[in-house]
Amino acid sequence: MDYLPLCVNVAVSVLAGFVTFRAVPAVAKKLLAANLFGKDLNKDCDKRIPEALGVVSGAIFLVMHFALIPVPSLGCWLSKNCPGYPQIQLVQLLAALLALCCMLLLGFADDVLNLPWRHKLALPAVAALPLLTTYLLTEGPTTVLIPEPLRPLLGLHVHLGALYYVYMGLLCVFCTNAINILAGVNGLEAGQTVIIAASIAIFNLIELHGDAWYSHLFSLYFMVPLLCTTLGLLYHNWFPANVFVGDTFCYFAGMAFAVVGILGHFGKTMLLFFMPQLFNFAYSAPQLFHLLPCPRHRIPRFDRTSGKLDVSFARAKVDDISLLGHLVLRIGDCTGLISVRWKVDPDEAYVEFGNLTLLNLLLLHFGRVHERTLTLRTLSVQVLGSVLAFTIRYPLARIFYES
Ligand code: UD1
Ligand code: MG
């Protein structure tokens, strides 16, 4: 394998990170002038914070990739050990960049127009279409390797066919929205992206000497610039945030992960690095699917007197909650997963429950903390998740997939 294209990519990525770091404050002024700003809900001031700065890191990522388009193909040609034709990899690269372009545009549209939730869910599925079509036309594999204990029943592989495309579409919808709903404290969206991108890059480096080296090289071409440009953005988004990354960034980063998972054929391993997001999504499901009321913002409540963050509550009339909603609240209350307060006013009975997010759960069990501490704790959970992911992927997977 020729390491030159990878070295070029790394060097240009570092440069792209530096350009992002310098460009963000300049573009932030223009976004403020264009009235694209938000209020920091966890601060005791009315400062206007420019929104959607993910457009800068995303655009720099794309420009860098456009400039380097010949590089991965070059590496393939030089190595003379490429599975298939280099043109196929070029088509896949262009499809990946198209999906990312779409997501950047749709994310920016969301930041400007504040789209409703059902549209937010549909957008990534639309942006994934060119990617999935390319996967079909380039005859991407649709088989899954079966773990040892199930092989007597199912065989070595299972061909999923069309179901595999449904799985890939759902992967795009999940990755893009998962980062967006684990958000609301300074530095969290960009911070979790840095940790996931670094974890995937480490995984790719380990696998670079295996049979599927080209897939992992392809993934590195995306993860290294994502890591560098996000670090440039994180500097300005870290507590106290001078800019917000916006849905533009969450969608773009999520799609970058989905793209490498799909085209690199390691979608399952990639999901292992999303463990906190998977938990947050499952935990949020009763609110996302309207079993329980879901307020516009579910971020922790800012306590002005102590300057710390505490669990935020949603409120509903007892009569308005479905049987299933009641069941969720009762189980959550018994298991200590949800803080529930049943209350009776003279004219109505109502219930207050802690919003179902990982941030609120951390506050519920470890007490109220300063915003920066909550970000650091959540990012520590992300790091622990990555350590667990590597443990599952290597020592444990060897037991199940030995032969
Ligand atoms: C998602 C969450 C919502 C959460 C919001 C915060 C769901 C279903 N939706 O909505 O509960 O409140 O993200 O990002 O889980 N903000 C801060 N501090 C930050 C980041 C954001 O105060 O560090 C506030 C700002 O007012 C900013 C706004 O959140 O303008 C951005 O919210 P937006 O990204 O539009 O919310 P959603 O993605 O729709
Ligand atoms: Mg958002």
Side-chain angles (χ1 to χ4, degrees):
M1 195 184 73
D2 180 20
Y3 284 98
L4 181 71
L6 183 58
C7 295
V8 173
N9 186 288
V10 172
V12 179
S13 297
V14 173
L15 181 68
F18 181 69
V19 174
T20 307
F21 166 72
R22 294 300 297 267
V24 165
V27 179
K29 280 188 199 145
K30 293 197 181 299
L31 289 173
L32 258 188
N35 279 334
L36 196 56
F37 61 85
K39 177 180 163 11
D40 199 331
L41 303 171
N42 299 321
K43 305 283 182 315
D44 202 6
C45 68
D46 282 330
K47 193 177 162 196
R48 299 184 315 164
I49 310 283
E51 184 72 86
L53 266 297
V55 74
V56 177
S57 62
I60 291 172
F61 176 103
L62 287 173
V63 169
M64 172 196 146
H65 257 287
F66 293 156
L68 294 186
I69 276 178
V71 174
S73 318
L74 199 68
C76 202
W77 275 314
L78 288 175
S79 71
K80 295 188 178 72
N81 186 22
C82 190
Y85 297 102
Q87 280 87 345
I88 292 181
Q89 276 80 40
L90 182 63
V91 171
Q92 288 184 340
L93 176 71
L94 293 177
L97 292 177
L98 181 59
L100 287 169
C101 271
C102 285
M103 237 33 245
L104 196 71
L105 176 69
L106 296 173
F108 196 66
D110 187 9
D111 278 326
V112 175
L113 304 174
N114 262 323
L115 298 173
W117 259 101
R118 57 185 186 282
H119 294 171
K120 286 182 195 252
L121 286 178
L123 295 180
V126 176
L129 281 178
L131 190 68
L132 299 190
T133 312
T134 307
Y135 196 84
L136 180 75
L137 296 178
T138 54
E139 292 166 7
T142 54
T143 50
V144 191
L145 192 63
I146 301 296
E148 287 267 351
L150 297 178
R151 282 182 195 166
L153 277 177
L154 299 170
L156 185 62
H157 294 107
V158 166
H159 291 271
L160 290 183
L163 273 182
Y164 200 84
Y165 286 87
V166 175
Y167 155 72
M168 289 189 289
L170 290 177
L171 193 69
C172 292
V173 174
F174 171 75
C175 289
T176 45
N177 283 289
I179 295 177
N180 190 30
I181 64 169
L182 185 54
V185 284
N186 294 175
L188 187 55
E189 296 105 312
Q192 62 188 293
T193 300
V194 164
I195 295 168
I196 299 173
S199 307
I200 295 180
I202 293 170
F203 169 64
N204 295 145
L205 283 172
I206 296 172
E207 292 294 315
L208 218 44
H209 300 288
D211 292 342
W213 64 269
Y214 188 80
S215 298
H216 292 281
L217 186 62
F218 180 88
S219 172
L220 276 171
Y221 283 128
F222 281 78
M223 288 300 104
V224 177
L226 181 68
L227 183 65
C228 293
T229 50
T230 306
L231 278 172
L233 178 60
L234 178 62
Y235 179 87
H236 302 283
N237 180 239
W238 191 253
F239 182 94
N242 289 320
V243 303
F244 287 145
V245 299
D247 293 347
T248 315
F249 174 79
C250 300
Y251 292 169
F252 181 83
M255 187 54 100
F257 293 131
V259 157
V260 297
I262 290 171
L263 294 179
H265 312 300
F266 58 87
K268 280 180 288 161
T269 304
M270 200 210 56
L271 278 181
L272 286 178
F273 295 115
F274 270 77
M275 266 187 275
Q277 287 73 15
L278 278 167
F279 174 84
N280 188 53
F281 177 77
Y283 186 52
S284 299
Q287 283 192 302
L288 296 182
F289 298 111
H290 297 295
L291 284 182
L292 294 170
C294 183
R296 168 69 182 87
H297 283 291
R298 304 189 302 153
I299 57 176
R301 185 178 64 82
F302 178 62
D303 179 34
R304 282 198 160 69
T305 38
S306 63
K308 291 183 174 175
L309 299 184
D310 205 348
V311 177
S312 65
F313 284 83
R315 182 190 153 120
K317 283 186 193 167
V318 173
D319 292 343
D320 290 349
I321 300 178
S322 66
L323 203 64
L324 224 50
H326 269 280
L327 193 68
V328 169
L329 287 180
R330 298 277 175 204
I331 295 174
D333 201 7
C334 292
T335 52
L337 281 174
I338 309 176
S339 161
V340 187
R341 305 170 186 158
W342 302 95
K343 297 197 169 170
V344 184
D345 266 359
D347 42 334
E348 65 175 8
Y350 65 94
V351 59
E352 287 179 344
F353 59 92
N355 282 308
L356 307 176
T357 65
L358 179 61
L359 297 180
N360 270 336
L361 192 63
L362 289 174
L363 289 170
L364 181 66
H365 286 282
F366 299 104
R368 45 166 70 181
V369 284
H370 189 267
E371 182 176 359
R372 184 173 28 205
T373 315
L374 184 60
T375 305
L376 286 171
R377 279 190 187 168
T378 317
L379 294 181
S380 307
V381 171
Q382 189 78 52
V383 173
L384 283 177
S386 287
V387 173
L388 187 62
F390 278 110
T391 316
I392 295 172
R393 179 60 180 78
Y394 288 106
L396 293 184
R398 267 190 208 121
I399 300 171
F400 287 105
Y401 294 94
E402 195 61 72
S403 59

